[in-house]
């Protein structure tokens, strides 16, 4: 279904350093996420558990070339500063060659997890953003 939908979507050329690649033009939320990327009951007990759980969602959905390479991109970004923006929200994100297409996964951890949030709240709503490294014009 996803592949068929991608064929019907307008294509946008993305210039990379070595070649041009075609990426689907994002016009609606379902162009970057789907029900298979939503987890209403995350089971992890730590930030890293939740990151692993969400990366597995992306991997099972066929979004990643390499789960371990994308995880390293996520952890590198977390080392720069927390992606927990407050109000129980965390937005871990990474740009990596391990990502096939821009995608967002969403999860809920009802009891919350310590993410070193800017306002001290536990992260309950987690949005993981995955973007191919070679896509120009993206800044995450």
């Amino acid at each position: 279904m996803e592949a068929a939908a991608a064929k019907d979507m307008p294509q946008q050329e993305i210039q990379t350093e070595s070649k041009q690649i075609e990426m689907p033009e994002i016009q609606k939320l379902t162009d970057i996420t789907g029900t298979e990327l939503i987890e209403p009951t995350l089971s992890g007990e730590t930030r890293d558990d939740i990151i692993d759980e969400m990366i597995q969602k992306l991997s099972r959905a066929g979004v990643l070339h390499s789960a371990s390479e994308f995880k390293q991109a996520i952890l590198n970004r977390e080392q720069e500063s927390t992606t927990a923006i407050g109000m129980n929200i965390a937005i871990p994100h990474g740009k990596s060659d391990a990502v096939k297409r821009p995608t967002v996964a969403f999860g809920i951890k009802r009891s919350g997890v310590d993410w070193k949030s800017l306002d001290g709240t536990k992260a309950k709503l987690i949005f993981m953003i995955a973007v191919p490294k070679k896509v120009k014009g993206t800044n995450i």
Side-chain angles (χ1 to χ4, degrees):
M1 180 173 117
E2 188 175 299
K7 287 181 190 175
D8 295 337
M9 292 174 47
Q11 298 293 305
Q12 174 182 6
E13 281 193 11
I14 306 296
Q15 180 71 33
T16 67
E17 292 176 18
S18 60
K19 63 180 179 175
Q20 286 184 344
I21 58 174
E22 286 189 10
M23 294 292 292
E25 186 175 317
I26 299 169
Q27 297 181 341
K28 55 192 181 302
L29 186 58
T30 55
D31 292 341
I32 58 170
T33 196
T35 56
E36 74 281 4
L37 293 164
I38 298 171
E39 180 53 64
T41 54
L42 290 166
S43 61
E45 294 299 324
T46 67
R47 180 199 73 168
D48 288 359
D49 289 346
I50 298 293
I51 287 171
D52 287 341
E53 198 171 342
M54 295 189 74
I55 287 173
Q56 285 310 306
K57 280 265 185 216
L58 292 167
S59 185
R60 284 192 297 271
V63 173
L64 304 176
H65 294 292
S66 167
S68 61
E69 189 178 325
F70 181 62
K71 180 179 180 178
Q72 192 57 56
I74 291 283
L75 294 177
N76 288 346
R77 174 56 188 86
E78 289 291 336
Q79 282 183 330
E80 290 177 24
S81 67
T82 184
T83 59
I85 62 171
M87 299 180 294
N88 302 111
I89 299 170
I91 310 173
H93 55 280
K95 250 179 138 171
S96 171
D97 289 328
V99 178
K100 296 178 184 178
R101 62 185 182 279
T103 307
V104 177
F106 172 69
I108 299 172
K109 177 64 177 174
R110 296 186 190 283
S111 61
V113 64
D114 180 20
W115 211 287
K116 300 191 182 348
S117 177
L118 297 175
D119 67 357
T121 60
K122 289 184 174 183
K124 295 182 178 183
L125 305 175
I126 297 99
F127 299 84
M128 181 173 280
I129 303 172
V131 177
K133 191 172 195 171
K134 293 189 179 192
V135 175
K136 295 218 182 232
T138 57
N139 185 18
I140 64 167

